[in-house]
């Protein structure tokens, strides 16, 4: 679990200001509501402004109440029963995606192991690894740290899933299929941070004390997924995030591999982690597909809500103890390096729309559900337009990259173009 960027999408245009075309009317339509306007030669302007502000506050409060009510509906007994009824299906279709411990790879399989190589062989293998690592550019190293730090924050993610209603592991050793999936998934994810950490330690390219402090800060700061307890929204988020992680690690493997910078050890590590993430993505994608079959209206509205707000990756609270804008720097560096880009985000949305057959949803949809479906299906094109406009603005602004020191790589400087 390690993608390093987000494409924050705006909220749906639920608050619309429509001009009043009837000049003789004492009221106007504001944010979808009729507001009476009071005019007088002396106080007209002030009162009108006050009415607008009051109406805006009223509508904003109404929207918040509506959203709160909708979120409570996802925790109703009827909605949670859908998850409970899915348990036999999880047993048959999700748990098999976990690998038996004896068949799973371990970090010692991918990196030099003194128990296998002996003292001299181990030192020779480490020397070769360091030689290969020396050719990886600092830009890619910074992105690798961000991915590794996020992987190491696994306790946050496991605890988040355990808070999700109807699927959490309440005792820590529940026998339900949902609980066994969470523990098995966590055990497989745990190796990702371990193997990346070990590579970084052996490579000698990183200030490991600073990297370890970043891990400490990220776990300590936590991560809030909104909404926190809804299984519908949690599984949409995790399906997207696992796909993003697979893309980020896969891109890194390509960039540092034989056709890139020639670090075979790092390419193998990242490629192996990416393959794991694809299996995990398959599990969560299947779960969301099943929810859309069982409850299409609630399911597609959950998809739309998460995508409207933008799927922020777990890296967002990352800190080096110095810069308040470190996450923005990491996002920009990932775009520059090609490890995770806006185009990747758009491709993920398109992939999931196809996998979940969102365009085909019709039966059982409310008006809001149909609007959610249409929004989700149109989103990739909107993202592309936003990217084009952002590129045009950047050209007009003629912004220049800034050089910043990164303590993870001994304060060497990297150039970054901030938005």
């Amino acid at each position: 679990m390690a993608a390093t960027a987000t494409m924050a999408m705006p909220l749906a245009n639920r608050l619309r200001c429509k001009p009043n075309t009837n000049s003789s009317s004492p009221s106007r339509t504001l944010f979808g509501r009729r507001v009476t306007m009071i005019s007088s030669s002396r106080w007209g302007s002030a009162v009108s402004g006050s009415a607008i502000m009051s109406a805006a506050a009223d509508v904003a409060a109404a929207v918040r109440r509506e959203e709160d009510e909708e979120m409570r509906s996802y925790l109703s007994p009827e909605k949670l029963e859908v998850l409970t009824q899915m348990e036999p299906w999880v047993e048959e279709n999700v748990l098999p995606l976990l690998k038996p411990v004896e068949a799973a790879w371990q970090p010692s399989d991918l990196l030099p192991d003194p128990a296998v190589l002996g003292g001299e062989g181990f030192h020779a293998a480490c020397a070769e690894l360091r030689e290969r690592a020396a050719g990886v550019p600092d830009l890619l190293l910074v992105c690798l740290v961000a991915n590794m730090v996020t992987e190491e924050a696994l306790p946050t993610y496991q605890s988040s899933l355990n808070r999700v209603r109807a699927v959490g592991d309440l005792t820590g050793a529940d026998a339900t299929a949902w609980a066994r999936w969470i523990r098995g998934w966590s055990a497989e994810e745990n190796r990702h941070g371990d193997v990346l950490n070990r590579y970084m330690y052996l490579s000698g390219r990183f200030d490991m004390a600073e990297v370890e402090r970043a891990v400490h800060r990220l776990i300590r700061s936590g991560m809030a997924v909104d909404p926190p307890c809804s299984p519908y929204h949690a599984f949409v988020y995790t399906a997207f995030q696992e796909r993003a992680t697979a893309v980020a690690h896969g891109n890194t493997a390509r960039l540092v591999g034989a056709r890139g910078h020639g670090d075979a050890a790092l390419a193998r590590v990242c490629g192996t982690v990416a393959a794991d993430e694809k299996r995990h993505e398959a599990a969560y994608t299947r779960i969301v597909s099943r929810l859309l079959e069982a409850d299409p209206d609630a399911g597609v509205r959950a998809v739309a809500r998460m995508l409207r707000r933008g799927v922020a990756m777990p890296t967002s609270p990352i800190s080096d103890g110095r810069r308040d804008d470190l996450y923005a720097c990491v996002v920009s560096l990932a775009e520059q390096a090609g490890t995770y880009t806006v185009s990747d985000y758009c491709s993920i949305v398109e992939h999931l729309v196809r996998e979940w057959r969102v365009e085909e949803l019709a039966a059982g949809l409310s008006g809001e559900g149909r609007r959610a479906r249409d929004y989700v299906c149109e989103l990739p094109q909107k993202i592309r337009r936003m990217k084009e406009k952002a590129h045009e603005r950047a050209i007009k602004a003629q912004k220049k990259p800034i050089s910043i020191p990164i303590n993870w790589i001994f304060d060497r400087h990297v150039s970054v173009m901030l938005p």
Side-chain angles (χ1 to χ4, degrees):
M1 193 180 265
T4 58
T6 181
M7 177 64 180
M9 300 302 296
L11 290 172
N13 295 326
R14 299 180 68 178
L15 305 183
R16 293 183 174 90
C17 184
K18 301 178 182 178
N20 180 15
T21 56
N22 184 359
S23 58
S24 63
S25 174
S27 64
R28 63 188 299 185
T29 302
L30 178 67
F31 299 109
R33 292 186 174 187
R34 299 298 292 178
V35 180
T36 300
M37 308 303 296
I38 303 173
S39 59
S40 72
S41 59
R42 183 175 181 184
W43 301 106
S45 177
V47 173
S48 175
S50 176
I52 292 173
M53 294 176 64
S54 176
D58 287 347
V59 173
V63 168
R64 285 194 297 271
R65 287 194 298 272
E66 181 183 338
E67 290 184 345
D68 290 344
E69 183 178 348
E70 181 174 2
M71 288 307 100
R72 284 193 295 271
S73 75
Y74 281 94
L75 304 180
S76 67
E78 294 79 14
K79 289 285 189 290
L80 299 182
E81 182 63 19
V82 173
L83 280 297
T84 302
Q85 294 296 325
M86 281 175 59
E87 189 169 345
W89 177 88
V90 172
E91 187 83 42
E92 294 181 8
N93 296 276
V94 177
L95 283 175
L97 290 171
L98 295 173
K99 288 192 173 183
V101 174
E102 295 73 17
W105 63 267
Q106 300 299 334
S108 56
D109 298 328
L110 303 180
L111 294 170
D113 183 358
V116 174
L117 299 174
E120 291 185 6
F122 176 69
H123 287 300
C126 287
E128 182 181 354
L129 184 148
R130 290 168 68 94
E131 182 179 352
R132 297 284 189 182
V136 179
D138 287 342
L139 180 61
L140 283 174
L141 296 182
V142 174
C143 294
L144 183 66
V145 173
N147 284 349
M148 170 269 189
V149 168
T150 310
E151 294 283 3
E152 290 278 51
L154 177 63
T156 301
Y157 318 137
Q158 185 174 6
S159 63
S160 294
L161 279 179
N162 280 335
R163 286 194 297 273
V164 175
R165 302 287 178 82
V167 303
D169 185 4
L170 298 180
T171 68
D174 283 2
T176 67
W178 289 114
R180 284 183 285 131
W181 164 259
I182 291 174
R183 292 198 300 270
W185 169 79
S186 298
E188 291 192 351
E189 287 282 343
N190 185 63
R191 301 165 305 152
H192 300 171
D194 286 351
V195 71
L196 290 167
N197 191 320
R198 194 171 304 178
Y199 166 84
M200 291 166 59
Y201 179 82
L202 293 175
S203 74
R205 296 290 311 272
F206 304 88
D207 186 335
M208 291 308 297
E210 291 295 345
V211 172
E212 289 155 2
R213 290 186 185 102
V215 173
H216 192 155
R217 292 187 190 99
L218 190 59
I219 297 175
R220 182 171 175 170
S221 65
M223 179 190 71
V225 177
D226 178 44
C229 301
S230 164
Y232 288 71
H233 299 81
F235 289 132
V236 170
Y237 173 85
T238 312
F240 191 104
Q241 203 279 328
E242 293 286 359
R243 177 81 179 178
T245 299
V247 168
H249 285 302
N251 285 342
T252 304
R254 173 178 53 81
L255 291 166
V256 302
R259 296 184 179 181
H261 297 282
D263 189 336
L266 181 56
R268 185 184 180 196
V269 165
C270 292
T272 301
V273 172
D276 258 14
E277 303 291 15
K278 287 180 180 179
R279 278 192 298 110
H280 298 163
E281 173 211 336
Y284 291 110
T285 301
R286 289 182 189 179
I287 292 170
V288 176
S289 293
R290 188 70 172 182
L291 287 172
L292 286 166
E293 291 174 9
D295 192 352
D297 191 65
V300 75
R301 285 189 286 114
V303 173
R305 175 186 167 93
M306 299 307 290
L307 292 178
R308 280 190 185 111
R309 291 172 175 250
V311 182
M313 294 300 120
T315 328
S316 55
I318 199 166
S319 171
D320 60 359
R322 301 191 304 195
R323 298 186 65 94
D324 293 332
D325 63 346
L326 183 65
Y327 179 63
C329 293
V330 168
V331 169
S332 296
L333 291 172
E335 180 80 30
Q336 291 170 219
T339 58
Y340 188 71
T341 67
V342 174
S343 295
D344 290 326
Y345 186 104
C346 186
S347 296
I348 292 167
V349 175
E350 287 182 316
H351 171 81
L352 292 176
V353 167
R354 287 193 303 269
E355 286 292 307
W356 293 332
R357 302 170 71 175
V358 176
E359 290 185 2
E360 300 175 26
L361 294 176
L365 294 189
S366 64
E368 185 67 25
R370 290 191 295 272
R371 286 187 288 274
R373 176 200 59 197
D374 295 344
Y375 170 82
V376 171
C377 292
E378 294 166 2
L379 184 57
Q381 189 58 37
K382 290 180 181 178
I383 295 173
R384 290 193 180 92
R385 288 198 298 268
M386 289 175 64
K387 181 182 178 182
E388 292 171 0
K389 290 179 180 178
H391 181 67
E392 292 171 0
R393 286 195 299 270
I395 293 175
K396 290 180 180 179
Q398 296 183 332
K399 282 190 174 182
K400 295 182 179 179
I402 61 172
S403 179
I404 61 172
I406 304 293
N407 60 5
W408 300 332
I409 53 173
F410 303 101
D411 274 333
R412 295 194 297 273
H413 282 66
V414 296
S415 293
V416 58
M417 182 74 75
L418 293 176

